[in-house]
Amino acid sequence: MGDRDGDSLRREVPPRIVVGAALVRAGAVLAARRSHPAELAGYWELPGGRVELGESETDAVRRELGEELALDVSVGGRLGWDVELAPDTVLRVYRASLADPGAEPVAREHAALRWVGAGELDELCWLPADRAILPELRRALRGRETPDATGIQT
């Protein structure tokens, strides 16, 4: 009755979602340097983390930035497209801004934080997934229109 390899019995499993935040202030994005795990320590990333069961992606961005950076943020639309982290996991980056423009991030889980302008993005050693987002991030920081995940110009 079924396929020998069991394809007919497999269900489509939604990907596990990791969110990142392109937190922009005064034309610069906040980059965070990893302190762990050992194989990722020293690489730079956009802050964020896993979406919890029953949590929306935008709520995960707010929660993660609160936990990691002691910040309250407003979350905007997507930046770029899904970036595969593993066969069952994707990174989705969202635009974000500080709820209080005068707030300063606190490196609770990272070795360092740095505000980076469009011309400085290539100076950092980014995680490969975050590096994939750099072209869209660079365009956004320079004020050029960039398509969001739906392909619509923003």
Side-chain angles (χ1 to χ4, degrees):
M1 274 184 93
D3 295 333
R4 287 185 189 183
D5 62 8
D7 281 343
S8 64
L9 301 176
R10 292 184 189 149
R11 284 185 247 151
E12 186 67 28
V13 177
R16 199 183 289 215
I17 308 297
V18 173
V19 292
L23 180 60
V24 176
R25 177 174 75 181
V29 67
L30 185 66
R33 195 165 91 208
R34 299 281 309 229
S35 58
H36 64 280
E39 64 272 11
L40 301 178
Y43 284 97
W44 291 85
E45 68 177 354
L46 297 173
R50 289 188 198 101
V51 176
E52 304 277 334
L53 185 62
E55 182 178 45
S56 73
E57 293 174 20
T58 55
D59 285 345
V61 171
R62 281 189 286 278
R63 176 184 52 75
E64 287 286 348
L65 271 60
E67 291 173 2
E68 292 181 9
L69 305 170
L71 291 175
D72 184 21
V73 299
S74 298
V75 182
R78 292 272 307 276
L79 180 71
W81 296 267
D82 288 359
V83 176
E84 186 175 306
L85 299 175
D88 66 340
T89 306
V90 297
L91 169 66
R92 294 182 177 158
V93 175
Y94 285 83
R95 300 165 192 260
S97 59
L98 295 167
D100 172 3
E104 289 297 328
V106 176
R108 290 179 169 169
E109 298 181 14
H110 292 92
L113 301 172
R114 178 175 166 188
W115 292 98
V116 183
E120 302 169 295
L121 291 172
D122 291 330
E123 294 175 13
L124 301 182
C125 185
W126 293 92
L127 288 171
D130 292 79
R131 181 165 289 288
I133 298 293
L134 293 186
E136 286 82 19
L137 183 56
R138 186 175 290 107
R139 282 191 287 276
L141 289 172
R142 289 183 173 151
R144 296 184 192 154
E145 290 184 347
T146 183
D148 67 11
T150 63
I152 298 171
Q153 296 290 322
T154 57

